[in-house]
Amino acid sequence: MRCKFKHLGILFMAGMLLVSAGCGSSGNNSKSVNSGQETGEGKDSPMTFSFFGADASPNWNHMQDDVGKEITAKTGVTLEAEYDVGSGGGQSKIALMAASGEYPDLIYAKGELGRLVDAGAVIDLTELIDKYAPNIKKVMSKDMNRMKYSKDDPAIYSIPTNIGVDQQTFDATSGFQVQLRVLKELGYPEIKTVQDFENVLEEYVAKHPTTDGQPTIPLTLNADDWKIMITVTNQAVNTTGAPGDGEYYVNPETYEAMLHYKRPEEREYFRWLNRMYNEGLLDKESFIQKDDQYKAKIASGRVLGLTSVEWEYQDAENALKAAGKDEYTYGHFPVTLKEEYKDHSMQAFGVDGYGISITTACEDPVRAIQFLDWLSSEEGQVLRNWGIAGKHYNLEDGKRVIPQDVLNQKVNDAENFSKQSGIGLYSVFGVRYGDGVKDSTGNYYTTNFPEQIIASYSNAEKEVLKAYKATTWKDLFPSENDLPVKEWGALYNMQVPTDGNYQVVYQKTQDIVRKRIPEAVLAKPADFDKVYDEFIAELNRVGAEKMESEYTELVKARVSLFTGKEIQ
C-alpha cells in the first residue's frame, strides 16, 4: 500500500471528513481518529509513507543504509522522504503546503507546526497513542502534558522526537571554541571571559598571521539567515548569565518576557564584538558570507576561534578530522562577559522538543503511529542509536562495545559512515530516551556516555583536556546541579499565534535585528551607542512591547500547563 500526498479538498467530498482515510472530526480545527474507521491491518506488510523534514539531512540515503533496511525489514515501511534544503527550517515549503493543501503523510515541522494546526492539516494523536502506541506511552509516561499543544488546545499534534527523555548531558558542545593547536602553543591559557578569549586570539595571530599560506582568521561569525541567532545574537544571552530562550528573556520570578536585546548587559556584549571588528580580530566578511563560505573557512584550518555550537559547524570540523588535522579542531569554553556571570549551557528544561506529526493526507494513521511506536521501542531505539549488532557494535560480556575500526570511521569519516550505516538519520521518527538512560539489558540507549565520549576524542583533545585537568569539555562548565530546571521548557518550540498581528510584528522585529545588530557591530566605536539606541527605539516603534506582553501570557499559560500552577 502507498500513502501519497493528497489535496485536502478531496477529503471533504460528499460532506465527509476523511472517512475513506479512517479519520474523523475532533470538533476543532484539527482532525482526530475515529476508531470505528481505523485500519492498520497487516502492520508488517509493505507500505510507503511520504515524509517532509524541516531540517536538512544531506546524508539521507533513501533507506538504503544498514539501519534503514533493517527498519523496513522489521516494520514493512519505506519512507519517501524530502528534506528542507540549506538552513530554511522548512518555512517556505510548509507555507506552500498550507496554501495548496497538499501534505505528506508524516511531517517534522519544527517551528511551523502552528501553521499546520491552523490549516487543519495535522491530526490529534491522543487516541492513536492511547490505543496503538504502548512504547510512546511508556517513554513519555510522566511527561504526557508536555506533548499537549497548549493549555487552551490540549490536543497532541506532534510527538517530541528532537530531544531525549531524561536526557543527561555528559559533554559540552557549546560555549566559545578555540583551536587545540592554539591552546597548546600558548601553554593552555585560562579562558573564562571574552577578554581572555580575545587575548588568546590576538596573541596567536600576532605569531602566526598566515595559516598554510592563507591569512589567519582570529574569529568568524555565521550571519546567513537564521544562523545569525546561533553565532551572533544567542551569545549575547549566553555570555551574560541568562538562560537561552530564543529571542526572549523571561524573568524567572514574574515570567515576564522581553526581547533579550533590551537587557543592558547584552549591549555590552555587542560592544565587545564592535571592538573586535575595529581591532581587526573579527572577520570582515562575517555579515556578508554565506553558510558554505563560513564552513569552507573553518575546514581550511585558518579560523582560530568560534562563538557557536558544535552541530552548526560540525561538517567543517569533520572535514578537518578526515584530513588528519585534529589539532585544528576545537575545544569548548564557558566564556562570559565578566566572571560574575554564569554560563547556562547545562541548564535542564525537561522533555520538550520539536516533533513528528501525522497529517490528514495519511490514509492509514493507525499504521503510521504503529511505525513510529516501533521506532520508539527499546529495539527501535537501540537500532537507531547503535546500528546493527555484529556490524556496528559487538556484545562483550553483555555490554555493547563499538569496535575500534568502526569508531575510527564514525569519528574521522563521519559523512560516509552516516550514509552507509544510517546511524543518526532516524532520530526524528520516534520518541527516545536521552543520553545516560539504560535499557533493560543495563546498556545505555545512546552512544553518548562518558566512556564512549572519551574514546571518541582525538589524542589532541585528550592532551588539551588533561592540561586543563578535565576528562570532558563539560568539566569546564557550570554543572546543571547548580542551575534550576526551567519551568517553561524550551521556548524555541512554544507555538505562537499564526493569525492576527503577532506574526507581523515578530517578523518586523526580526528584520530590524538582522539589520541593526550588524550595523552596531560594524560601526565606529564612537557611533556604537547611537546605533544601538536607535535599534531599541525601532523595535518599540513597530510594536515590540505589545508582542512581548502577548508572549508573557503564553509563557504563563505554558508554565501552568506543565506544572499545574495557576499563574496570575
Side-chain angles (χ1 to χ4, degrees):
M1 185 177 180
R2 182 180 183 84
C3 277
K4 300 180 179 179
F5 284 71
K6 179 172 287 189
H7 195 287
L8 281 180
I10 297 173
L11 303 178
F12 293 89
M13 292 175 62
M16 302 177 67
L17 182 61
L18 292 177
V19 171
S20 64
C23 300
S25 173
S26 66
N28 59 21
N29 200 30
S30 70
K31 319 296 182 295
S32 66
V33 170
N34 180 335
S35 59
Q37 299 292 332
E38 291 165 4
T39 55
E41 297 179 3
K43 63 179 182 178
D44 298 327
S45 59
M47 159 116 19
T48 298
F49 288 118
S50 54
F51 166 78
F52 175 75
D55 277 332
S57 184
N59 296 330
W60 178 253
N61 200 16
H62 308 285
M63 297 191 77
Q64 295 309 298
D65 48 77
D66 298 322
V67 171
K69 290 177 181 178
E70 185 68 8
I71 289 172
T72 299
K74 292 288 187 179
T75 66
V77 170
T78 300
L79 293 168
E80 188 179 87
E82 177 187 357
Y83 289 90
D84 197 47
V85 178
S87 57
Q91 292 181 348
S92 298
K93 182 69 176 180
I94 292 174
L96 288 173
M97 290 180 190
S100 68
E102 295 181 355
Y103 305 101
D105 304 308
L106 305 172
I107 189 165
Y108 177 69
K110 290 192 73 176
E112 299 304 296
L113 178 63
R115 187 187 296 270
L116 296 176
V117 170
D118 288 351
V122 290
I123 65 175
D124 180 356
L125 303 175
T126 304
E127 289 183 44
L128 284 172
I129 291 171
D130 187 55
K131 296 178 68 174
Y132 298 102
N135 294 303
I136 294 174
K137 283 200 293 185
K138 178 182 177 182
V139 176
M140 297 300 300
S141 58
K142 64 181 183 298
D143 296 298
M144 295 298 288
N145 268 5
R146 290 193 172 228
M147 291 200 290
K148 295 176 181 178
Y149 186 69
S150 69
K151 189 175 182 180
D152 293 335
D153 183 359
I156 299 174
Y157 296 119
S158 69
I159 57 173
T161 61
N162 186 50
I163 296 172
V165 174
D166 294 334
Q167 168 80 16
Q168 298 177 54
T169 302
F170 293 118
D171 201 8
T173 60
S174 58
F176 280 29
Q177 294 76 38
V178 180
Q179 281 188 338
L180 304 178
R181 65 185 179 121
V182 174
L183 300 167
K184 182 177 181 178
E185 180 167 330
L186 298 186
Y188 309 107
E190 180 178 77
I191 304 176
K192 292 185 175 181
T193 66
V194 294
Q195 187 62 59
D196 296 334
F197 181 73
E198 178 183 342
N199 293 343
V200 166
L201 303 186
E202 186 173 31
E203 182 178 353
Y204 192 88
V205 76
K207 292 183 177 182
H208 303 279
T210 62
T211 300
D212 298 331
Q214 292 183 294
T216 300
I217 301 172
L219 172 64
T220 193
L221 308 173
N222 185 1
D224 188 6
D225 199 27
W226 62 273
K227 291 287 185 73
I228 192 173
M229 298 179 184
I230 309 304
T231 75
V232 184
T233 61
N234 285 357
Q235 297 300 354
V237 178
N238 300 336
T239 59
T240 55
D245 282 312
E247 291 296 274
Y248 292 90
Y249 167 74
V250 177
N251 184 311
E253 303 297 329
T254 65
Y255 308 112
E256 289 184 86
M258 69 175 178
L259 290 172
H260 66 79
Y261 308 95
K262 295 182 177 183
R263 298 173 64 233
E265 305 95 320
E266 296 193 28
R267 176 189 292 244
E268 298 312 307
Y269 175 77
F270 292 118
R271 190 190 306 278
W272 172 74
L273 277 183
N274 173 267
R275 190 176 81 243
M276 290 287 284
Y277 175 78
N278 281 285
E279 291 180 357
L281 294 174
L282 177 61
D283 183 4
K284 301 293 185 183
E285 298 177 340
S286 287
F287 293 103
I288 57 174
Q289 65 189 346
K290 295 298 183 182
D291 186 69
D292 57 346
Q293 294 171 308
Y294 163 84
K295 289 181 179 178
K297 288 177 180 177
I298 297 171
S300 75
R302 61 194 182 108
V303 178
L304 306 181
L306 300 169
T307 57
S308 188
V309 288
E310 197 167 280
W311 61 261
E312 189 272 332
Y313 63 87
Q314 193 160 39
D315 291 344
E317 191 171 54
N318 287 342
L320 290 167
K321 291 178 181 179
K325 294 184 174 183
D326 291 334
E327 70 276 16
Y328 290 79
T329 63
Y330 298 87
H332 301 271
F333 295 87
V335 171
T336 54
L337 193 65
K338 300 177 183 178
E339 286 200 42
E340 65 198 63
Y341 297 123
K342 183 180 292 187
D343 182 287
H344 280 61
S345 297
M346 300 300 155
Q347 185 174 25
F349 49 75
V351 176
D352 203 13
Y354 295 130
I356 194 166
S357 305
I358 301 175
T359 77
T360 53
C362 182
E363 295 181 351
D364 196 340
V366 173
R367 182 70 183 278
I369 201 72
Q370 288 171 335
F371 168 67
L372 300 177
D373 189 65
W374 184 85
L375 289 169
S376 305
S377 68
E378 182 169 307
E379 181 182 6
Q381 291 186 65
V382 172
L383 173 65
R384 290 189 287 157
N385 290 323
W386 287 85
I388 309 295
K391 185 166 188 177
H392 304 118
Y393 69 91
N394 297 320
L395 281 174
E396 299 179 6
D397 297 326
K399 184 178 180 181
R400 284 194 289 269
V401 177
I402 301 176
Q404 190 60 47
D405 61 329
V406 176
L407 184 60
N408 286 340
Q409 187 188 11
K410 184 177 184 179
V411 173
N412 298 315
D413 192 13
E415 182 177 340
N416 285 324
F417 180 79
S418 177
K419 286 180 179 178
Q420 293 164 11
S421 70
I423 295 173
L425 297 182
Y426 298 89
S427 59
V428 302
F429 293 102
V431 295
R432 53 199 168 99
Y433 287 111
D435 300 341
V437 183
K438 292 185 176 181
D439 63 19
S440 63
T441 71
N443 284 285
Y444 289 103
Y445 273 99
T446 80
T447 59
N448 294 320
F449 52 92
E451 298 87 348
Q452 194 63 57
I453 289 169
I454 293 168
S456 300
Y457 285 150
S458 66
N459 289 333
E461 277 187 283
K462 291 176 182 176
E463 182 182 358
V464 171
L465 283 164
K466 183 178 180 181
Y468 282 102
K469 297 180 172 55
T471 54
T472 69
W473 296 110
K474 182 189 176 183
D475 293 340
L476 304 179
F477 283 67
S479 168
E480 64 270 29
N481 297 327
D482 298 327
L483 300 165
V485 177
K486 286 197 288 189
E487 291 182 295
W488 48 83
L491 288 184
Y492 63 79
N493 70 356
M494 182 175 75
Q495 299 301 320
V496 297
T498 59
D499 55 357
N501 202 43
Y502 180 93
Q503 290 285 4
V504 174
V505 174
Y506 179 79
Q507 188 56 54
K508 287 180 179 178
T509 63
Q510 285 294 290
D511 292 342
I512 293 167
V513 167
R514 296 183 190 188
K515 177 184 178 184
R516 292 295 190 177
I517 289 296
E519 282 183 5
V521 173
L522 303 181
K524 294 177 180 179
D527 295 332
F528 174 83
D529 281 310
K530 178 182 178 182
V531 174
Y532 208 89
D533 287 341
E534 178 55 29
F535 165 49
I536 300 300
E538 191 171 0
L539 289 175
N540 290 331
R541 280 200 299 271
V542 299
E545 290 168 314
K546 182 178 179 182
M547 180 185 74
E548 291 164 336
S549 178
E550 285 186 64
Y551 200 80
T552 295
E553 295 309 310
L554 292 172
V555 171
K556 290 179 178 179
R558 174 176 263 217
V559 172
S560 179
L561 174 65
F562 285 4
T563 67
K565 296 193 304 186
E566 287 300 322
I567 310 297
Q568 298 299 319

PDB file of all heavy atoms in Angstrom, residues 180-181 320-330 412 458-461:
ATOM      1  N   LEU A 180      42.646  23.603  19.099  1.00  0.00           N
ATOM      2  CA  LEU A 180      43.506  22.879  20.018  1.00  0.00           C
ATOM      3  C   LEU A 180      44.973  23.289  19.859  1.00  0.00           C
ATOM      4  O   LEU A 180      45.710  23.394  20.845  1.00  0.00           O
ATOM      5  CB  LEU A 180      43.343  21.376  19.799  1.00  0.00           C
ATOM      6  CG  LEU A 180      41.912  20.822  19.923  1.00  0.00           C
ATOM      7  CD1 LEU A 180      41.907  19.327  19.639  1.00  0.00           C
ATOM      8  CD2 LEU A 180      41.318  21.120  21.287  1.00  0.00           C
ATOM      9  N   ARG A 181      45.399  23.541  18.630  1.00  0.00           N
ATOM     10  CA  ARG A 181      46.800  23.921  18.393  1.00  0.00           C
ATOM     11  C   ARG A 181      47.118  25.274  19.048  1.00  0.00           C
ATOM     12  O   ARG A 181      48.229  25.508  19.514  1.00  0.00           O
ATOM     13  CB  ARG A 181      47.103  23.973  16.899  1.00  0.00           C
ATOM     14  CG  ARG A 181      46.349  25.045  16.131  1.00  0.00           C
ATOM     15  CD  ARG A 181      46.602  24.979  14.629  1.00  0.00           C
ATOM     16  NE  ARG A 181      45.848  26.020  13.921  1.00  0.00           N
ATOM     17  CZ  ARG A 181      46.409  26.956  13.166  1.00  0.00           C
ATOM     18  NH1 ARG A 181      47.723  26.991  13.012  1.00  0.00           N
ATOM     19  NH2 ARG A 181      45.655  27.859  12.552  1.00  0.00           N
ATOM     20  N   LEU A 320      38.083  18.508   8.720  1.00  0.00           N
ATOM     21  CA  LEU A 320      39.404  18.601   9.334  1.00  0.00           C
ATOM     22  C   LEU A 320      39.848  17.254   9.890  1.00  0.00           C
ATOM     23  O   LEU A 320      41.013  16.834   9.724  1.00  0.00           O
ATOM     24  CB  LEU A 320      39.398  19.651  10.453  1.00  0.00           C
ATOM     25  CG  LEU A 320      39.275  21.116  10.024  1.00  0.00           C
ATOM     26  CD1 LEU A 320      38.972  22.007  11.218  1.00  0.00           C
ATOM     27  CD2 LEU A 320      40.543  21.586   9.321  1.00  0.00           C
ATOM     28  N   LYS A 321      38.937  16.547  10.527  1.00  0.00           N
ATOM     29  CA  LYS A 321      39.260  15.224  11.066  1.00  0.00           C
ATOM     30  C   LYS A 321      39.602  14.250   9.947  1.00  0.00           C
ATOM     31  O   LYS A 321      40.559  13.470  10.055  1.00  0.00           O
ATOM     32  CB  LYS A 321      38.081  14.699  11.889  1.00  0.00           C
ATOM     33  CG  LYS A 321      37.834  15.458  13.183  1.00  0.00           C
ATOM     34  CD  LYS A 321      36.615  14.908  13.910  1.00  0.00           C
ATOM     35  CE  LYS A 321      36.340  15.674  15.193  1.00  0.00           C
ATOM     36  NZ  LYS A 321      35.134  15.166  15.898  1.00  0.00           N
ATOM     37  N   ALA A 322      38.806  14.296   8.876  1.00  0.00           N
ATOM     38  CA  ALA A 322      39.047  13.397   7.745  1.00  0.00           C
ATOM     39  C   ALA A 322      40.404  13.665   7.104  1.00  0.00           C
ATOM     40  O   ALA A 322      41.029  12.759   6.539  1.00  0.00           O
ATOM     41  CB  ALA A 322      37.930  13.535   6.719  1.00  0.00           C
ATOM     42  N   ALA A 323      40.866  14.920   7.200  1.00  0.00           N
ATOM     43  CA  ALA A 323      42.171  15.286   6.632  1.00  0.00           C
ATOM     44  C   ALA A 323      43.312  15.042   7.606  1.00  0.00           C
ATOM     45  O   ALA A 323      44.476  15.366   7.314  1.00  0.00           O
ATOM     46  CB  ALA A 323      42.150  16.751   6.211  1.00  0.00           C
ATOM     47  N   GLY A 324      42.991  14.470   8.777  1.00  0.00           N
ATOM     48  CA  GLY A 324      44.019  14.191   9.763  1.00  0.00           C
ATOM     49  C   GLY A 324      44.513  15.419  10.503  1.00  0.00           C
ATOM     50  O   GLY A 324      45.605  15.424  11.073  1.00  0.00           O
ATOM     51  N   LYS A 325      43.711  16.492  10.526  1.00  0.00           N
ATOM     52  CA  LYS A 325      44.121  17.742  11.167  1.00  0.00           C
ATOM     53  C   LYS A 325      43.392  17.916  12.505  1.00  0.00           C
ATOM     54  O   LYS A 325      42.697  18.906  12.748  1.00  0.00           O
ATOM     55  CB  LYS A 325      43.825  18.923  10.246  1.00  0.00           C
ATOM     56  CG  LYS A 325      44.658  18.933   8.961  1.00  0.00           C
ATOM     57  CD  LYS A 325      44.367  20.189   8.142  1.00  0.00           C
ATOM     58  CE  LYS A 325      45.280  20.295   6.932  1.00  0.00           C
ATOM     59  NZ  LYS A 325      45.050  21.539   6.164  1.00  0.00           N
ATOM     60  N   ASP A 326      43.555  16.955  13.389  1.00  0.00           N
ATOM     61  CA  ASP A 326      42.857  17.006  14.672  1.00  0.00           C
ATOM     62  C   ASP A 326      43.225  18.232  15.489  1.00  0.00           C
ATOM     63  O   ASP A 326      42.407  18.759  16.250  1.00  0.00           O
ATOM     64  CB  ASP A 326      43.165  15.745  15.487  1.00  0.00           C
ATOM     65  CG  ASP A 326      42.537  14.489  14.900  1.00  0.00           C
ATOM     66  OD1 ASP A 326      41.515  14.623  14.199  1.00  0.00           O
ATOM     67  OD2 ASP A 326      43.068  13.397  15.133  1.00  0.00           O
ATOM     68  N   GLU A 327      44.470  18.707  15.342  1.00  0.00           N
ATOM     69  CA  GLU A 327      44.903  19.854  16.134  1.00  0.00           C
ATOM     70  C   GLU A 327      44.225  21.143  15.684  1.00  0.00           C
ATOM     71  O   GLU A 327      44.286  22.164  16.375  1.00  0.00           O
ATOM     72  CB  GLU A 327      46.431  20.006  16.058  1.00  0.00           C
ATOM     73  CG  GLU A 327      46.976  20.448  14.714  1.00  0.00           C
ATOM     74  CD  GLU A 327      47.178  19.314  13.711  1.00  0.00           C
ATOM     75  OE1 GLU A 327      46.623  18.205  13.935  1.00  0.00           O
ATOM     76  OE2 GLU A 327      47.900  19.530  12.729  1.00  0.00           O
ATOM     77  N   TYR A 328      43.562  21.104  14.514  1.00  0.00           N
ATOM     78  CA  TYR A 328      42.838  22.275  14.012  1.00  0.00           C
ATOM     79  C   TYR A 328      41.362  22.261  14.462  1.00  0.00           C
ATOM     80  O   TYR A 328      40.621  23.182  14.140  1.00  0.00           O
ATOM     81  CB  TYR A 328      42.887  22.328  12.493  1.00  0.00           C
ATOM     82  CG  TYR A 328      44.247  22.660  11.911  1.00  0.00           C
ATOM     83  CD1 TYR A 328      45.241  21.688  11.812  1.00  0.00           C
ATOM     84  CD2 TYR A 328      44.534  23.940  11.444  1.00  0.00           C
ATOM     85  CE1 TYR A 328      46.492  21.979  11.273  1.00  0.00           C
ATOM     86  CE2 TYR A 328      45.790  24.242  10.895  1.00  0.00           C
ATOM     87  CZ  TYR A 328      46.757  23.261  10.817  1.00  0.00           C
ATOM     88  OH  TYR A 328      47.991  23.559  10.287  1.00  0.00           O
ATOM     89  N   THR A 329      40.942  21.200  15.157  1.00  0.00           N
ATOM     90  CA  THR A 329      39.575  21.156  15.679  1.00  0.00           C
ATOM     91  C   THR A 329      39.517  21.942  16.983  1.00  0.00           C
ATOM     92  O   THR A 329      40.521  22.490  17.444  1.00  0.00           O
ATOM     93  CB  THR A 329      39.104  19.706  15.877  1.00  0.00           C
ATOM     94  OG1 THR A 329      39.929  19.061  16.858  1.00  0.00           O
ATOM     95  CG2 THR A 329      39.184  18.932  14.564  1.00  0.00           C
ATOM     96  N   TYR A 330      38.336  21.978  17.625  1.00  0.00           N
ATOM     97  CA  TYR A 330      38.089  22.987  18.660  1.00  0.00           C
ATOM     98  C   TYR A 330      37.771  22.408  20.043  1.00  0.00           C
ATOM     99  O   TYR A 330      37.104  21.380  20.171  1.00  0.00           O
ATOM    100  CB  TYR A 330      36.927  23.879  18.227  1.00  0.00           C
ATOM    101  CG  TYR A 330      37.207  24.649  16.957  1.00  0.00           C
ATOM    102  CD1 TYR A 330      36.940  24.091  15.710  1.00  0.00           C
ATOM    103  CD2 TYR A 330      37.779  25.917  16.991  1.00  0.00           C
ATOM    104  CE1 TYR A 330      37.216  24.783  14.528  1.00  0.00           C
ATOM    105  CE2 TYR A 330      38.059  26.623  15.832  1.00  0.00           C
ATOM    106  CZ  TYR A 330      37.777  26.044  14.605  1.00  0.00           C
ATOM    107  OH  TYR A 330      38.059  26.735  13.439  1.00  0.00           O
ATOM    108  N   ASN A 412      36.204   9.881  12.210  1.00  0.00           N
ATOM    109  CA  ASN A 412      37.085  10.528  11.234  1.00  0.00           C
ATOM    110  C   ASN A 412      36.556  10.541   9.808  1.00  0.00           C
ATOM    111  O   ASN A 412      37.126  11.220   8.948  1.00  0.00           O
ATOM    112  CB  ASN A 412      38.459   9.853  11.259  1.00  0.00           C
ATOM    113  CG  ASN A 412      39.131   9.982  12.611  1.00  0.00           C
ATOM    114  OD1 ASN A 412      39.129  11.061  13.205  1.00  0.00           O
ATOM    115  ND2 ASN A 412      39.676   8.890  13.121  1.00  0.00           N
ATOM    116  N   SER A 458      39.975  12.688  19.992  1.00  0.00           N
ATOM    117  CA  SER A 458      41.286  12.510  19.364  1.00  0.00           C
ATOM    118  C   SER A 458      42.375  12.642  20.427  1.00  0.00           C
ATOM    119  O   SER A 458      42.139  13.154  21.525  1.00  0.00           O
ATOM    120  CB  SER A 458      41.489  13.568  18.282  1.00  0.00           C
ATOM    121  OG  SER A 458      41.567  14.861  18.868  1.00  0.00           O
ATOM    122  N   ASN A 459      43.558  12.190  20.098  1.00  0.00           N
ATOM    123  CA  ASN A 459      44.678  12.340  21.025  1.00  0.00           C
ATOM    124  C   ASN A 459      44.945  13.818  21.325  1.00  0.00           C
ATOM    125  O   ASN A 459      45.336  14.174  22.442  1.00  0.00           O
ATOM    126  CB  ASN A 459      45.928  11.682  20.453  1.00  0.00           C
ATOM    127  CG  ASN A 459      45.829  10.164  20.463  1.00  0.00           C
ATOM    128  OD1 ASN A 459      45.121   9.582  21.285  1.00  0.00           O
ATOM    129  ND2 ASN A 459      46.525   9.519  19.539  1.00  0.00           N
ATOM    130  N   ALA A 460      44.711  14.664  20.315  1.00  0.00           N
ATOM    131  CA  ALA A 460      44.917  16.106  20.519  1.00  0.00           C
ATOM    132  C   ALA A 460      43.940  16.646  21.560  1.00  0.00           C
ATOM    133  O   ALA A 460      44.324  17.470  22.412  1.00  0.00           O
ATOM    134  CB  ALA A 460      44.752  16.844  19.188  1.00  0.00           C
ATOM    135  N   GLU A 461      42.694  16.209  21.510  1.00  0.00           N
ATOM    136  CA  GLU A 461      41.707  16.645  22.503  1.00  0.00           C
ATOM    137  C   GLU A 461      42.077  16.146  23.893  1.00  0.00           C
ATOM    138  O   GLU A 461      42.003  16.897  24.879  1.00  0.00           O
ATOM    139  CB  GLU A 461      40.319  16.137  22.130  1.00  0.00           C
ATOM    140  CG  GLU A 461      39.574  16.979  21.121  1.00  0.00           C
ATOM    141  CD  GLU A 461      38.158  16.507  20.925  1.00  0.00           C
ATOM    142  OE1 GLU A 461      37.966  15.496  20.224  1.00  0.00           O
ATOM    143  OE2 GLU A 461      37.227  17.150  21.450  1.00  0.00           O
TER     144      GLU A 461
END
